[in-house]
């Protein structure tokens, strides 16, 4: 028992380069910023950030933002500016932790004002922001690093790695619980693996009229996609063997996971899954928000590997 | 080597956070209401399960199964909520959460939003989901946050509060845009998606109709 407890403590005491957390920070901030700018471009700031009394779609509620600043268009615009400024500062790494916290809290106020407009991706990204607010994500690729070390990429000091592992756990929790809650028959063989076909015919979420997917081989591809989605989500926790290798000699499962690089294979399936969603469904930032967090699945060395490979003398020789 | 106190304190705190979040994310079914079991999707699922249970010797008709599902999920949902009650205020202020039933129930009877306007005695369709001929404010109405206001409660027997506010908001936009519009109708049309090999079902059900007349000056 003690051995496992010490292993658990040591797992959360690891340190590493802040580069991965910085990349996640920039990605998440830019995705959110893009969403806020879309709201403004569509002329929806007041509509989505104000209760009915202020010209919006929000119900009468006790959101502290409305209680303090009132149910007016100006109050809605002020909330939008807080979101935009905090997302910009987070992307640039200015007062990184404070910016992440302010962004999460302001987004929570928005959710309070218009709960039906707050989607799963918004909750997920707030979860991520709260982890980033406790992390060393501003220690590189940031103005904070420039102020404190004189260099944009920091002084090379390592930071606690636990926020990255917590983000890994968060994503695994999302996929696994989404998988095991797929109770409907259409996700299973006895429902004809027809879930994706049905979802792509849902007027509200489908991006296009996809009548042709009822023909073969397209229908078969939706059935394969349905089966793959369930299998991938149910088995996602297997990647934890890589991120939290238990104490003692590696088990057969761990040796297989490492040899087959299962964590990278599952990640590649996830990229395909989210890009496919982005191309066929009208879910806004949902796919891009998840992909912005995906770098957390890479160790800093894995993140740098492609760049090292590109810079290697062998590649330069091959390129002439 | 024995871990430092700081490392132990951090591990304890992280363990607490993980435990509370896993509890929140626990795949416990949401409360299934009468609106759920009487919707076409609910009726289909109950009929399927009733037939399968009958095949293994558990005779229960879909209506009774629906009532039992409602009772069981109500109890489970209340128990889950009571466990989460202490963290709910913090969750609301900080905006975190862990409910991830993403597309758990694909909709065999999806709702299609439809908006019409009246000038004099003539009605004109101005918007219908995925209809390029009638695409007034299409990017706005299909934006995910706006969609949530009219689509999330489409299974309900009556229009939800957000849907009513959405209808009022859409009407006000149309009135402001075109002074000749006298009345706006917002409704959803429930269609039936059949699988390949099954004859298409042309039947539609018009639901959640809300008429808004231009306010008197």
């Amino acid at each position: 028992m003690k051995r496992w407890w010490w292993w658990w403590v040591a797992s959360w005491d690891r340190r590493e380069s802040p580069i991965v957390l910085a990349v996640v920070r920039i990605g998440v901030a830019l995705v959110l910023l893009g969403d806020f700018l879309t709201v403004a471009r569509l002329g929806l700031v007041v509509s989505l950030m104000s209760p009915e009394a202020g010209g919006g779609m929000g119900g009468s509620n006790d959101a502290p933002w409305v209680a303090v600043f009132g149910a007016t268009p100006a109050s809605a615009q002020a909330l939008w500016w807080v979101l935009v400024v905090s997302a910009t500062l987070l992307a640039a790494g200015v007062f990184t932790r404070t910016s992440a916290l302010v962004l999460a809290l302001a987004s929570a106020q928005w959710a309070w004002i218009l709960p039906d407009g707050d989607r799963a991706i918004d909750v997920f990204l707030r979860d991520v922001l709260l982890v980033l607010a406790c992390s060393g994500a501003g220690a590189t690729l940031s103005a904070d690093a420039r102020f404190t070390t004189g260099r944009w990429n920091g002084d090379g000091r390592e930071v606690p790695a636990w926020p990255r592992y917590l983000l890994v756990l968060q994503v695994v929790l999302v996929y696994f619980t989404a998988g095991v809650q797929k109770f409907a028959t259409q996700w299973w063989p006895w429902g004809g693996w027809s879930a994706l076909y049905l979802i792509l015919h849902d007027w509200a979420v489908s991006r296009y009229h996809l009548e042709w997917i009822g023909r073969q081989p397209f229908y078969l591809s939706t059935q394969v996609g349905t089966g793959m989605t369930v299998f991938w989500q149910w088995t996602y926790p297997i990647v934890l063997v890589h991120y939290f290798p238990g104490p003692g000699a590696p088990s057969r499962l761990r040796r297989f996971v490492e040899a087959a690089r299962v964590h990278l294979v599952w990640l590649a399936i996830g990229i395909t899954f989210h890009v496919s969603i982005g191309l066929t469904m009208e879910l806004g930032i949902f796919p891009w928000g998840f992909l912005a967090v995906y770098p957390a699945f890479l160790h800093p060395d894995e993140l740098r590997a492609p760049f090292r490979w590109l810079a290697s003398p062998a590649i330069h020789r091959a390129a002439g | 080597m024995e871990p430092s106190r700081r490392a132990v304190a951090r591990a304890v705190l992280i363990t607490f956070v993980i435990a509370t979040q896993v509890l929140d994310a626990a795949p416990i079914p949401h409360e299934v209401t009468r609106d759920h079991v009487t919707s076409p999707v609910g009726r289909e699922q109950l009929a399927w399960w009733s037939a399968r249970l009958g095949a293994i010797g558990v005779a229960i008709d879909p209506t009774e199964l629906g009532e039992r599902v409602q009772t069981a999920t109500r109890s489970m949902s209340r128990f889950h909520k009571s466990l989460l009650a202490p963290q709910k205020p913090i969750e609301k202020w900080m905006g975190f959460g862990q409910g991830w039933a993403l597309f758990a129930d694909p909709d065999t009877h999806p709702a299609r939003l439809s908006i019409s306007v009246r000038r004099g005695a003539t009605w004109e369709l101005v918007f219908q989901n995925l209809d390029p001929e009638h695409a007034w404010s299409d990017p706005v109405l299909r934006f995910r946050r706006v969609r949530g206001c009219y689509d999330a409660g489409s299974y309900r027997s009556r229009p939800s509060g957000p849907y009513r506010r959405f209808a009022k908001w859409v009407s006000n936009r149309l009135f402001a845009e075109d002074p000749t519009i006298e009345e706006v109708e917002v409704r959803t049309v429930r269609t039936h998606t059949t699988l390949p090999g099954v004859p298409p079902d042309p039947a539609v059900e018009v639901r959640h109709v809300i008429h808004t007349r231009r306010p008197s000056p």
Side-chain angles (χ1 to χ4, degrees):
Chain A
M1 189 70 188
K2 193 173 177 183
R3 176 167 161 252
W4 280 95
W5 173 243
W6 282 16
W7 163 79
W8 180 247
V9 172
S11 295
W12 296 107
D13 198 28
R14 290 175 274 183
R15 296 180 75 84
E16 63 185 24
S17 159
I19 185 74
V20 171
L21 286 167
V23 170
V24 172
R25 181 200 91 222
I26 294 167
V28 167
L30 291 180
V31 166
L32 285 169
L33 188 58
D35 194 46
F36 306 148
L37 294 177
T38 301
V39 169
R41 181 174 58 80
L42 296 175
L44 290 170
V45 172
V46 175
S47 304
L48 295 177
M49 296 190 181
S50 180
E52 209 170 8
M57 279 189 273
S60 57
N61 60 53
D62 54 351
W65 184 273
V66 176
V68 174
F69 299 106
T72 63
S75 152
Q77 276 149 359
L79 179 58
W80 183 82
W81 274 108
V82 171
L83 289 162
V84 168
V85 170
S86 55
T88 307
L89 293 180
L90 182 65
V94 181
F95 306 119
T96 307
R97 291 181 173 199
T98 310
S99 300
L101 185 61
V102 169
L103 181 51
L105 292 175
S107 172
Q109 289 301 305
W110 190 3
W112 204 325
I113 293 167
L114 187 66
D116 284 77
D118 197 62
R119 317 305 295 167
I121 186 63
D122 301 299
V123 180
F124 171 74
L125 291 178
R126 282 196 294 273
D127 293 346
V128 171
L129 286 171
L130 291 170
V131 174
L132 290 177
C134 303
S135 77
T140 188
L141 306 181
S142 67
D144 284 349
R146 179 82 172 84
F147 295 147
T148 53
T149 69
R151 291 160 54 108
W152 290 100
N153 57 351
D155 56 8
R157 247 187 296 182
E158 293 189 331
V159 298
W162 66 262
R164 183 170 75 81
Y165 290 106
L166 211 50
L167 293 180
V168 167
L169 270 184
Q170 174 65 75
V171 176
V172 172
L173 189 65
V174 173
Y175 289 149
F176 179 66
T177 57
V180 297
Q181 288 182 90
K182 288 185 170 28
F183 302 124
T185 54
Q186 292 91 352
W187 285 104
W188 300 96
W190 45 92
W193 304 108
S194 56
L196 283 186
Y197 176 82
L198 292 172
I199 291 167
L200 291 172
H201 278 81
D202 193 321
W203 301 106
V205 296
S206 184
R207 188 177 285 274
Y208 310 102
H209 236 321
L210 299 171
E211 285 305 318
W212 49 268
I213 60 167
R215 294 197 292 269
Q216 297 294 11
F218 306 110
Y219 182 56
L220 179 64
S221 71
T222 66
Q223 291 176 300
V224 171
T226 301
M228 278 292 290
T229 302
V230 172
F231 174 76
W232 174 72
Q233 291 187 331
W234 274 75
T235 58
Y236 215 97
I238 197 174
V239 303
L240 295 177
V241 173
H242 170 76
Y243 297 100
F244 297 92
S251 64
R252 193 179 293 179
L253 175 67
R254 191 170 130 200
R255 284 200 300 272
F256 164 73
V257 166
E258 297 301 354
R261 293 182 163 241
V262 168
H263 71 294
L264 295 182
V265 175
W266 260 232
L267 203 61
I269 296 172
I271 292 169
T272 311
F273 173 78
H274 284 294
V275 170
S276 303
I277 285 176
L279 294 176
T280 58
M281 294 165 75
E282 192 82 53
L283 297 181
I285 61 168
F286 176 85
W288 322 122
F290 268 93
L291 290 177
V293 182
Y294 265 32
F297 282 87
L298 301 175
H299 187 273
D301 292 340
E302 288 176 307
L303 190 71
R304 291 194 197 103
F307 301 101
R308 285 199 181 126
W309 182 77
L310 285 171
S312 67
I315 290 296
H316 283 284
R317 277 198 301 276
Chain B
M1 195 175 75
E2 199 162 324
S4 67
R5 279 187 185 180
R6 188 186 169 91
V8 171
R10 182 196 291 127
V12 168
L13 199 59
I14 289 173
T15 307
F16 174 74
V17 169
I18 292 172
T20 56
Q21 298 309 293
V22 168
L23 179 67
D24 195 349
I28 295 167
H30 291 286
E31 182 176 348
V32 173
T33 63
R34 179 155 295 282
D35 280 350
H36 286 113
V37 297
T38 55
S39 73
V41 177
R43 287 201 304 267
E44 272 180 8
Q45 293 286 315
L46 288 170
W48 190 91
W49 282 105
S50 170
R52 294 305 171 281
L53 289 169
I56 57 166
V58 183
I60 184 165
D61 66 70
T63 310
E64 190 188 345
L65 181 60
E67 279 164 14
R68 289 202 185 183
V69 167
Q70 286 180 72
T71 310
T73 56
R74 192 181 305 125
S75 305
M76 284 192 282
S77 175
R78 283 182 185 171
F79 176 66
H80 193 208
K81 280 181 181 164
S82 68
L83 290 178
L84 296 173
Q87 74 178 47
K88 275 293 161 193
I90 311 167
E91 200 170 296
K92 186 142 193 179
W93 272 91
M94 307 290 278
F96 61 84
Q98 302 286 348
W100 310 116
L102 309 171
F103 290 105
D105 295 304
D107 201 342
T108 52
H109 291 73
R112 189 179 199 183
L113 179 71
S114 167
I115 301 170
S116 301
V117 298
R118 183 176 64 77
R119 295 181 186 86
T122 312
W123 282 97
E124 182 197 351
L125 180 66
V126 293
F127 175 84
Q128 191 167 236
N129 257 331
L130 291 180
D131 179 353
E133 303 290 314
H134 303 100
W136 172 79
S137 280
D138 186 74
V140 169
L141 295 172
R142 292 180 59 75
F143 184 58
R144 65 190 184 94
R145 287 182 181 272
V146 176
R147 171 171 53 83
C149 298
Y150 64 80
D151 192 54
S154 60
Y155 68 93
R156 290 170 187 264
S157 54
R158 291 179 175 189
S160 63
Y163 181 89
R164 289 180 188 281
R165 287 194 295 276
F166 164 78
K168 189 176 174 187
W169 172 79
V170 161
S171 304
N172 288 340
R173 277 177 76 105
L174 280 160
F175 291 143
E177 207 170 278
D178 184 346
T180 66
I181 293 173
E182 295 167 41
E183 189 174 358
V184 175
E185 182 199 76
V186 176
R187 64 181 178 174
T188 59
V189 179
R190 189 184 255 172
T191 59
H192 182 198
T193 309
T194 54
L195 299 184
V198 178
D201 180 2
V204 296
E205 185 189 352
V206 175
R207 308 176 76 241
H208 298 179
V209 181
I210 293 184
H211 284 267
T212 310
R213 285 177 185 273
R214 179 182 285 279
S216 318

